């Protein structure tokens, strides 16, 4: 190759690079990362029910049900806040909540002590939330499924949550079926019952503490409107694994020093579901007003049970399927979101 041709080739290479550099800068160089941090004080109202079961395989009813406690959550006031962080399309949110002590509907205690479909014992109890503590963490990754429409996004989500609450109940009224000569109990509503309270005795109440750990996998859809100032999202998730543990004390005296103690637990696979929504409006670059809610449904699950008497300390361990749980809960709240940067 002649010296003139070499010069032409070198000049062509430089010209080609000069043309490609803007395209490289636009298409291949990394864009500046978008980082966003916010915090949000919140208040919630919660409604729901926590159910606890006692089963026995040798009963004649369809579920093997022996006892059921239905702990209501009614107008439970919760407060706390969340901290959120976004890095490009990756988001994370951490929430902490606690509850105000107060009345929370009623607790219904039912027994089937003939081991058939006849309810033999029934009582209505005033329920109180003594304490409640919750931690929640969620991570998500946004993507835009509709090309050219950046205001709509979908995100796979992973969530982990811990919940601990303590209920106490005081008996209002109860009906306990009398026993006949064959050892069978009368139905609670037959009229052949012992009614509490009466002149000789009263029922002394029950305390109940429940611990829950949840993991969730799901999706969230988000829509930005009104010049990207109104943000609406809907989500749903299923729990591959959750863990529940309950401890209840059935008191035998008014001083609440003597009681029968029960502890049951359950490993829950794909029986817990969650839905949530949120909407918030950007007042300016710093302040947003928000409204959000969520609901949980956990289907009935069985697990092992132990019993201990405080009077003699005797501990009895029961079959793997003697205890059980279910729950449903919905909470709605409002908050003020503060955008830090």
């Amino acid at each position: 190759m002649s010296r003139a041709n070499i010069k032409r080739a070198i000049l062509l290479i430089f010209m080609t690079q000069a043309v490609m550099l803007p395209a490289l800068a636009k298409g291949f160089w990394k864009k500046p990362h978008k980082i966003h941090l916010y915090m949000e004080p919140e208040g919630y109202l919660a409604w729901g029910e926590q159910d606890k079961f006692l089963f026995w395989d040798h009963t004649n009813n369809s579920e093997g049900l022996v006892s059921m406690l239905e702990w209501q959550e009614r107008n439970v006031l919760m407060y706390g806040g969340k901290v959120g962080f976004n890095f490009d399309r990756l988001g994370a949110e951490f929430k902490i909540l606690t509850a105000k002590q107060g009345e929370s509907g009623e607790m219904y205690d039912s027994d089937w002590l003939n081991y058939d479909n006849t309810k033999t014992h029934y009582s209505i109890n005033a329920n109180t939330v003594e304490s409640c503590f919750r931690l929640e963490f969620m991570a998500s990754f946004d993507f835009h499924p509709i090309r050219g429409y950046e205001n709509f996004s979908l995100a796979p989500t992973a969530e982990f949550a811990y919940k601990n609450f303590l209920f106490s109940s005081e008996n209002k009224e109860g009906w306990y079926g009398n026993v006949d000569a064959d050892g069978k109990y009368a139905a609670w509503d037959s009229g052949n019952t012992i009614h509490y309270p009466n002149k000789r005795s009263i029922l002394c109440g029950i305390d109940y503490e429940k611990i829950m750990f949840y993991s969730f996998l799901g999706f969230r859809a988000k829509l930005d409107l009104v010049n990207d100032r109104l943000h609406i999202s809907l989500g749903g998730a299923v729990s591959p694994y959750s863990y529940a543990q309950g401890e209840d004390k059935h008191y035998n005296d008014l001083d609440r020093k003597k009681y029968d103690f029960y502890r049951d637990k359950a490993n829950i696979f794909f029986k817990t579901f969650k839905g949530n929504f949120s909407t918030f409006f950007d007042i300016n670059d710093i302040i947003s007003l928000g409204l959000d809610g969520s609901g949980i449904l956990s289907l009935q699950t069985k697990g092992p049970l132990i019993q201990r008497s405080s009077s003699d300390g005797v501990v009895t361990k029961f079959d793997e399927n003697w205890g059980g749980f279910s729950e449903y809960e919905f909470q709605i709240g409002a908050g003020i979101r503060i955008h830090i940067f």
Side-chain angles (χ1 to χ4, degrees), residues 3 87 102 114 154 202 204 231 235 242-243 250 265 281 288 315:
R3 186 173 296 179
F87 181 78
N114 290 334
L154 288 175
I202 64 173
C204 301
H231 312 278
S242 297
Y243 173 81
H250 296 242
K265 58 185 179 180
F281 183 78
S288 299
V315 176

Side-chain angles (χ1 to χ4, degrees), residues 54-318:
L54 176 63
F55 300 97
W56 190 39
D57 292 339
H58 299 290
T59 63
N60 293 322
N61 61 41
S62 58
E63 294 184 341
L65 187 60
V66 175
S67 180
M68 177 173 65
L69 304 178
E70 303 167 87
W71 299 85
Q72 289 186 337
E73 297 175 64
R74 294 295 184 268
N75 300 317
V76 178
L77 177 60
M78 307 189 70
Y79 55 92
K82 67 176 69 166
V83 175
F85 176 77
N86 292 315
F87 181 78
D88 291 340
R89 292 188 291 170
L90 179 64
E93 195 170 81
F94 179 80
K95 180 191 291 187
I96 181 170
L97 294 172
T98 188
K100 181 182 178 182
Q101 182 185 28
E103 296 180 0
S104 179
E106 295 177 324
M107 187 275 281
Y108 302 102
D109 186 0
S110 303
D111 295 320
W112 291 261
L113 296 188
N114 290 334
Y115 309 119
D116 56 21
N117 290 315
T118 302
K119 183 188 290 191
T120 60
H121 294 42
Y122 180 63
S123 64
I124 302 172
N125 307 267
N127 189 29
T128 299
V129 172
E130 298 291 345
S131 64
C132 181
F133 179 73
R134 305 185 184 204
L135 293 174
E136 300 178 15
F137 173 80
M138 183 182 73
S140 61
F141 187 82
D142 289 331
F143 64 94
H144 301 281
I146 304 176
R147 181 175 297 179
Y149 192 70
E150 299 296 313
N151 289 355
F152 175 73
S153 64
L154 288 175
T157 59
E159 301 179 56
F160 301 92
Y162 168 84
K163 178 170 66 178
N164 179 302
F165 57 78
L166 176 63
F167 288 136
S168 68
S169 69
E170 294 185 3
N171 180 257
K172 296 167 64 176
E173 195 170 16
W175 300 264
Y176 282 33
N178 283 310
V179 184
D180 62 20
D182 296 326
K184 292 286 187 179
Y185 290 90
W188 76 274
D189 57 354
S190 66
N192 184 19
T193 62
I194 301 174
H195 180 259
Y196 295 94
N198 55 48
K199 294 181 179 180
R200 301 181 60 183
S201 60
I202 64 173
L203 299 177
C204 301
I206 303 173
D207 286 350
Y208 181 50
E209 182 178 15
K210 187 177 180 183
I211 296 172
M212 287 290 305
F213 169 80
Y214 306 95
S215 64
F216 288 103
L217 294 175
F219 270 90
R220 182 194 65 201
K222 181 181 176 184
L223 185 63
D224 300 322
L225 302 171
V226 193
N227 296 322
D228 291 341
R229 301 186 69 176
L230 177 63
H231 312 278
I232 302 171
S233 69
L234 292 172
V238 61
S239 174
Y241 173 75
S242 297
Y243 173 81
Q245 177 177 299
E247 297 181 353
D248 50 312
K249 297 177 180 179
H250 296 242
Y251 292 101
N252 300 318
D253 65 334
L254 292 177
D255 294 330
R256 297 201 167 200
K257 293 182 179 180
K258 296 180 180 180
Y259 55 84
D260 292 319
F261 172 85
Y262 298 86
R263 175 186 291 145
D264 45 346
K265 58 185 179 180
N267 296 302
I268 306 169
F269 298 96
F270 294 99
K271 285 190 174 183
T272 304
F273 309 90
K274 181 178 182 180
N276 56 73
F277 76 91
S278 73
T279 177
F280 61 94
F281 183 78
D282 298 331
I283 302 298
N284 51 44
D285 292 339
I286 300 176
I287 301 294
S288 299
L289 299 180
L291 178 71
D292 67 79
S294 64
I296 286 180
L297 172 65
S298 187
L299 303 179
Q300 188 184 97
T301 305
K302 296 182 179 181
L305 171 72
I306 67 169
Q307 177 185 1
R308 185 181 74 243
S309 172
S310 64
S311 58
D312 55 21
V314 174
V315 176
T316 306
K317 295 183 178 180
F318 295 94

